[in-house]
Coordinates of all heavy atoms in Angstrom, one line a residue:
Chain A
N941 N 73.0 61.0 26.8 CA 73.3 61.5 28.1 C 74.8 61.9 28.3 O 75.2 62.3 29.4 CB 72.9 60.4 29.1 CG 71.5 60.1 29.1 OD1 70.6 61.0 29.2 ND2 71.1 58.9 28.9
M1027 N 66.7 43.9 14.7 CA 67.0 43.6 16.1 C 68.5 43.8 16.4 O 68.9 44.2 17.5 CB 66.6 42.1 16.4 CG 66.9 41.6 17.8 SD 66.0 42.6 19.1 CE 64.4 41.9 19.0
K1029 N 70.6 46.0 15.3 CA 70.9 47.4 15.7 C 70.6 47.7 17.1 O 71.4 48.3 17.9 CB 70.0 48.3 14.8 CG 70.5 48.4 13.4 CD 69.6 49.3 12.6 CE 69.6 50.8 13.0 NZ 68.8 51.7 12.1
R1030 N 69.4 47.3 17.6 CA 69.0 47.6 18.9 C 69.8 46.8 19.9 O 70.2 47.3 21.0 CB 67.5 47.2 19.1 CG 66.6 48.2 18.4 CD 65.4 48.5 19.3 NE 64.6 47.4 19.8 CZ 63.7 46.8 19.1 NH1 63.4 47.2 17.9 NH2 63.1 45.7 19.6
V1031 N 70.1 45.5 19.6 CA 70.9 44.7 20.5 C 72.3 45.3 20.7 O 72.9 45.3 21.8 CB 71.0 43.3 20.0 CG1 72.1 42.5 20.7 CG2 69.7 42.6 20.2
L1032 N 72.9 45.8 19.6 CA 74.2 46.5 19.7 C 74.2 47.6 20.7 O 75.1 47.8 21.5 CB 74.7 46.9 18.4 CG 75.2 45.7 17.4 CD1 75.4 46.3 16.0 CD2 76.4 45.0 17.9
Q1033 N 73.1 48.4 20.6 CA 73.0 49.6 21.5 C 72.9 49.1 22.9 O 73.5 49.6 23.9 CB 71.7 50.4 21.2 CG 71.9 51.2 19.9 CD 70.6 52.1 19.7 OE1 70.0 52.6 20.6 NE2 70.3 52.3 18.4
T1034 N 72.0 48.1 23.1 CA 71.7 47.6 24.5 C 73.0 47.0 25.1 O 73.3 47.2 26.3 CB 70.6 46.5 24.4 OG1 69.5 47.1 23.8 CG2 70.2 46.0 25.8
V1035 N 73.7 46.2 24.3 CA 75.0 45.6 24.8 C 76.0 46.7 25.2 O 76.6 46.6 26.3 CB 75.5 44.7 23.6 CG1 77.0 44.5 23.8 CG2 74.8 43.4 23.6
T1037 N 75.1 49.8 26.2 CA 74.6 50.4 27.3 C 74.8 49.7 28.6 O 75.1 50.2 29.7 CB 73.0 50.7 27.1 OG1 72.8 51.6 26.0 CG2 72.4 51.2 28.4
L1038 N 74.6 48.3 28.5 CA 74.7 47.5 29.7 C 76.1 47.2 30.2 O 76.3 46.7 31.2 CB 74.0 46.2 29.5 CG 72.4 46.3 29.3 CD1 71.8 45.0 29.0 CD2 71.8 46.9 30.5
Q1069 N 76.1 52.1 16.1 CA 75.1 51.6 17.1 C 75.7 51.5 18.5 O 75.1 51.9 19.5 CB 74.5 50.3 16.7 CG 73.7 50.3 15.4 CD 72.7 51.3 15.3 OE1 71.9 51.6 16.3 NE2 72.5 52.0 14.2
L1072 N 75.9 54.9 20.1 CA 74.5 55.4 20.6 C 74.3 54.7 22.0 O 73.8 55.4 22.9 CB 73.4 55.0 19.6 CG 73.4 55.7 18.3 CD1 72.3 55.1 17.4 CD2 73.1 57.2 18.5
G1073 N 74.7 53.5 22.1 CA 74.5 52.8 23.4 C 75.4 53.4 24.5 O 75.0 53.5 25.7
Q1076 N 74.0 56.7 25.6 CA 72.8 56.5 26.5 C 73.3 56.2 27.9 O 72.8 56.8 28.9 CB 72.0 55.3 25.9 CG 71.0 54.8 26.9 CD 69.9 55.7 27.1 OE1 69.4 56.4 26.2 NE2 69.5 55.9 28.4
A1077 N 74.3 55.3 28.1 CA 74.7 54.8 29.4 C 75.6 55.8 30.1 O 75.7 55.7 31.3 CB 75.4 53.5 29.2
E1165 N 66.6 40.9 22.5 CA 67.0 42.1 23.2 C 66.5 42.0 24.7 O 67.2 42.4 25.6 CB 66.4 43.4 22.6 CG 66.9 44.6 23.2 CD 66.0 45.8 22.7 OE1 65.0 45.6 22.1 OE2 66.5 47.0 23.0
T1169 N 68.9 41.7 28.2 CA 68.8 42.6 29.4 C 68.4 41.8 30.6 O 68.9 42.0 31.7 CB 67.7 43.7 29.1 OG1 68.1 44.3 27.9 CG2 67.7 44.7 30.2
Chain B
K524 N 57.3 56.1 19.8 CA 58.0 54.9 19.2 C 58.4 53.9 20.4 O 58.3 52.7 20.2 CB 59.3 55.4 18.5 CG 59.8 54.4 17.5 CD 61.0 55.0 16.8 CE 62.0 54.0 16.4 NZ 63.2 54.5 15.8
M525 N 58.9 54.5 21.5 CA 59.2 53.7 22.6 C 58.0 53.1 23.3 O 58.0 51.9 23.8 CB 60.0 54.5 23.6 CG 60.4 53.8 24.9 SD 61.5 52.4 24.7 CE 63.1 53.3 24.5
R528 N 57.0 49.7 21.8 CA 57.9 48.6 22.2 C 57.7 48.3 23.7 O 57.7 47.1 24.1 CB 59.4 49.0 22.0 CG 59.8 49.0 20.5 CD 61.1 48.3 20.3 NE 62.2 48.9 21.1 CZ 62.8 50.0 20.7 NH1 62.6 50.6 19.6 NH2 63.8 50.5 21.5
V529 N 57.5 49.3 24.5 CA 57.3 49.1 26.0 C 56.0 48.3 26.2 O 56.0 47.4 27.0 CB 57.3 50.4 26.7 CG1 56.8 50.2 28.1 CG2 58.7 51.0 26.8
I631 N 58.6 53.9 37.1 CA 59.8 54.2 36.3 C 59.6 55.5 35.6 O 58.6 55.7 34.9 CB 60.1 53.0 35.3 CG1 60.4 51.7 36.1 CG2 61.3 53.3 34.4 CD1 60.6 50.5 35.3
G632 N 60.6 56.4 35.6 CA 60.5 57.7 35.1 C 60.7 57.9 33.6 O 60.9 56.9 32.9
P633 N 60.6 59.1 33.1 CA 60.7 59.4 31.7 C 62.2 59.5 31.4 O 63.1 59.4 32.3 CB 60.1 60.7 31.6 CG 60.3 61.4 32.9 CD 60.3 60.3 33.9
E634 N 62.5 59.6 30.1 CA 63.9 59.9 29.7 C 64.3 61.2 30.5 O 63.5 62.2 30.5 CB 64.0 60.2 28.2 CG 64.0 58.9 27.4 CD 63.9 59.3 25.9 OE1 64.9 59.9 25.4 OE2 62.9 59.0 25.3
R658 N 74.9 53.4 35.1 CA 74.5 53.4 33.7 C 73.1 53.8 33.5 O 72.2 53.3 34.2 CB 74.8 52.0 33.0 CG 76.2 51.7 33.0 CD 76.5 50.2 32.5 NE 77.9 50.0 32.5 CZ 78.7 50.3 31.5 NH1 78.2 50.9 30.4 NH2 80.0 50.1 31.6
I659 N 72.8 54.8 32.6 CA 71.5 55.3 32.4 C 70.9 54.4 31.2 O 71.5 54.3 30.2 CB 71.5 56.7 31.9 CG1 72.4 57.6 32.8 CG2 70.1 57.3 31.8 CD1 71.9 57.8 34.2
M660 N 69.7 53.8 31.5 CA 69.1 52.9 30.5 C 68.0 53.6 29.8 O 67.3 54.4 30.4 CB 68.6 51.7 31.2 CG 69.7 50.8 31.9 SD 69.0 49.5 32.8 CE 70.4 49.0 33.8
R661 N 67.7 53.2 28.6 CA 66.4 53.5 28.0 C 65.3 52.9 28.8 O 65.5 51.9 29.5 CB 66.4 52.9 26.6 CG 67.2 53.7 25.6 CD 67.1 53.1 24.2 NE 67.5 51.7 24.2 CZ 67.4 50.9 23.2 NH1 67.0 51.3 22.0 NH2 67.8 49.6 23.3
V662 N 64.1 53.5 28.6 CA 62.9 53.0 29.4 C 62.7 51.5 29.2 O 62.5 50.8 30.2 CB 61.7 53.8 29.0 CG1 60.5 53.2 29.7 CG2 61.8 55.3 29.4
E663 N 62.7 51.0 28.0 CA 62.4 49.6 27.8 C 63.4 48.7 28.5 O 63.1 47.7 29.1 CB 62.4 49.4 26.3 CG 62.0 48.0 25.9 CD 62.4 47.6 24.5 OE1 63.1 48.4 23.8 OE2 61.9 46.6 24.0
T664 N 64.7 49.1 28.4 CA 65.8 48.4 29.1 C 65.6 48.4 30.6 O 65.8 47.4 31.3 CB 67.2 48.9 28.6 OG1 67.2 49.1 27.2 CG2 68.3 48.0 29.1
A665 N 65.3 49.6 31.1 CA 65.1 49.7 32.6 C 63.9 48.9 33.1 O 64.1 48.2 34.1 CB 64.9 51.2 32.9
V666 N 62.8 48.8 32.3 CA 61.7 48.0 32.7 C 62.1 46.5 32.8 O 61.9 45.9 33.8 CB 60.5 48.1 31.7 CG1 59.5 47.1 31.9 CG2 59.9 49.5 31.8
T667 N 62.8 46.0 31.8 CA 63.2 44.6 31.8 C 64.2 44.4 32.9 O 64.1 43.3 33.6 CB 63.8 44.3 30.4 OG1 62.9 44.6 29.4 CG2 64.2 42.8 30.3
A668 N 65.2 45.3 33.0 CA 66.3 45.0 34.0 C 65.7 45.0 35.5 O 66.0 44.2 36.3 CB 67.3 46.1 33.9
L669 N 64.8 46.0 35.7 CA 64.2 46.0 37.1 C 63.3 44.8 37.4 O 63.4 44.2 38.5 CB 63.4 47.3 37.3 CG 64.2 48.6 37.4 CD1 63.4 49.9 37.2 CD2 64.8 48.7 38.9

Side-chain angles (χ1 to χ4, degrees):
Chain A
N941 298 308
M1027 178 62 79
K1029 286 177 65 174
R1030 290 224 305 277
V1031 165
L1032 288 169
Q1033 290 185 31
T1034 302
V1035 156
T1037 294
L1038 294 175
Q1069 299 306 320
L1072 291 173
Q1076 168 65 45
E1165 186 193 11
T1169 305
Chain B
K524 201 176 147 185
M525 178 61 80
R528 288 224 304 276
V529 165
I631 299 177
E634 287 175 62
R658 295 174 179 277
I659 313 294
M660 297 174 194
R661 284 181 304 178
V662 173
E663 185 193 11
T664 310
V666 168
T667 305
L669 285 161

